[in-house]
Amino acid sequence: MTLVMASHPGAPLEALLVLLVTTTGTVVAALTADALSHLAVHGRFLNGPELRHALRASLGSLVTVVAPLALLGASALGAWPVTPALWISAAVLLATLVTVAAIAIRGVTVPWWQRTLFLTALGIAGLIVVWLQTLAHG
């Protein structure tokens, strides 16, 4: 997500467009990865029910962009500047990433400190992505 943008009237709409394009790309990438991994493991393409399941799983990730869309939408309507909306959106997405990962690995039989180390590394990786995007668009 673009974190630094020029302060002009179209900035919130541009940020919304970037979010929508990025989200669409992420969903398509997840679906493609699901299809490729299925092909590699089972030696065949997804059948109808498997494809529907993969689509539901990929589209389920769209719930993560509700808060950023609301924040950027409010910014587009003039509620606040786009930069704070982007920073809060990035924080929400990062918190969601770590929370979903924590839920996903809660039943894994590894020591607590390894789960903590993994979640910390994931959070740091997310911060690095935000930093790199800020550099790229700053």
Side-chain angles (χ1 to χ4, degrees):
M1 179 182 323
T2 306
L3 292 177
V4 179
M5 299 184 76
S7 58
H8 57 84
L13 296 176
E14 289 175 28
L16 277 168
L17 180 61
V18 168
L19 179 63
L20 290 174
V21 168
T22 303
T23 302
T24 302
T26 302
V27 168
V28 169
L31 183 59
T32 302
D34 220 2
L36 286 174
S37 64
H38 186 276
L39 180 61
V41 170
H42 299 287
R44 63 176 176 78
F45 290 104
L46 297 166
N47 62 26
E50 293 165 340
L51 179 59
R52 283 190 294 282
H53 177 75
L55 278 168
R56 272 194 312 276
S58 298
L59 292 173
S61 65
L62 292 177
V63 74
T64 62
V65 297
V66 171
L69 281 174
L71 290 163
L72 292 171
S75 177
L77 295 173
W80 54 66
V82 68
T83 301
L86 289 167
W87 282 110
I88 294 167
S89 295
V92 167
L93 288 170
L94 187 56
T96 302
L97 172 69
V98 174
T99 301
V100 168
I103 292 168
I105 66 169
R106 72 176 180 252
V108 176
T109 55
V110 297
W112 67 269
W113 64 269
Q114 287 181 350
R115 280 194 296 272
T116 303
L117 183 62
F118 170 75
L119 293 172
T120 302
L122 184 62
I124 290 169
L127 287 172
I128 290 170
V129 168
V130 170
W131 175 67
L132 289 172
Q133 288 181 332
T134 302
L135 286 177
H137 297 285

